[in-house]
Amino acid sequence: VGDNARADTILSALSATITEKMDSNPAYYEKLSLRIKEIIEAHKNDRLSDEEKLKNAKDIRKMLVAKDVETDENYPESIRHNKFSCAIFDNMTDEFNKLLGTKALEILEKVSISFNDIFKEYSKKPDWINNTDVANQIDGQIEEILWELEDEYSVSFENADEIIARVRSIGINNYS
């Protein structure tokens, strides 16, 4: 009973949902998870009242619910209605900003659409998730896109294997 108990209930449910959805968009859900930890820590250290804890818990709940709504202004219009492309955008923004500077978001928008097209095509194949040949084809196409970017913009994706694995994991979690 009380604001603290209601906040704890909301935060617990949010944590469970975040854990369940983490693989579909690790960057986004990791930010929410970190925010929950900050709220709990701030309340524990008496920096937040029970009322403030409850308000913050409700704010995170709104963010989580809003993530399912396809009107998020943080994404370019062309990808806003595609969860997979938005997840790629969330998870690759830092990498692209480091390498490509001011052109990063425009390029990432196109790349996220290309990655989506790859998964849209391959996810139609039977047992595509467990098929090694299909996985190799997906990885090859992602790698090809990264190589084209390296050539066109004179950059180097030092962690290309990690990027490919992250994109494949997000793809599987959004298309399975």
Side-chain angles (χ1 to χ4, degrees), residues 124-138:
K124 294 175 186 173
K125 297 185 182 237
D127 198 32
W128 70 279
I129 294 171
N130 300 313
N131 187 322
T132 307
D133 291 336
V134 172
N136 290 338
Q137 291 170 351
I138 290 171

Side-chain angles (χ1 to χ4, degrees), residues 22-161:
M22 182 67 77
D23 289 338
S24 67
N25 189 342
Y28 180 76
Y29 292 111
E30 187 61 41
K31 286 179 193 173
L32 290 181
S33 181
L34 183 60
R35 183 69 187 117
I36 289 171
K37 288 175 185 165
E38 289 169 354
I39 291 167
I40 292 169
E41 190 65 28
H43 184 263
K44 187 170 127 183
N45 294 326
D46 294 326
R47 294 188 314 257
L48 281 181
S49 68
D50 291 352
E51 297 82 21
E52 291 170 322
K53 181 180 177 183
L54 179 59
K55 181 195 175 305
N56 282 304
K58 287 179 178 179
D59 289 346
I60 292 176
R61 182 175 58 191
K62 284 181 193 169
M63 290 172 64
L64 191 60
V65 171
K67 188 65 179 171
D68 293 330
V69 177
E70 298 173 344
T71 58
D72 194 331
E73 306 261 332
N74 293 324
Y75 303 107
E77 179 63 36
S78 64
I79 67 169
R80 200 171 286 164
H81 303 290
N82 183 292
K83 284 184 182 183
F84 173 76
S85 293
C86 290
I88 293 299
F89 199 84
D90 286 341
N91 287 274
M92 305 289 285
T93 298
D94 291 343
E95 181 87 31
F96 275 59
N97 280 337
K98 261 191 287 185
L99 291 174
L100 299 163
T102 58
K103 303 175 206 167
L105 297 182
E106 178 186 329
I107 296 166
L108 183 53
E109 177 182 358
K110 293 174 186 169
V111 167
S112 63
I113 291 168
S114 296
F115 288 170
N116 181 62
D117 292 343
I118 292 168
F119 281 91
K120 189 187 301 183
E121 175 188 337
Y122 284 103
S123 66
K124 294 175 186 173
K125 297 185 182 237
D127 198 32
W128 70 279
I129 294 171
N130 300 313
N131 187 322
T132 307
D133 291 336
V134 172
N136 290 338
Q137 291 170 351
I138 290 171
D139 291 356
Q141 288 192 15
I142 294 168
E143 189 172 43
E144 185 68 34
I145 290 169
L146 296 177
W147 284 341
E148 289 172 7
L149 291 173
E150 287 179 338
D151 291 345
E152 187 173 344
Y153 297 100
S154 300
V155 295
S156 178
F157 290 97
E158 301 288 327
N159 57 342
D161 291 340

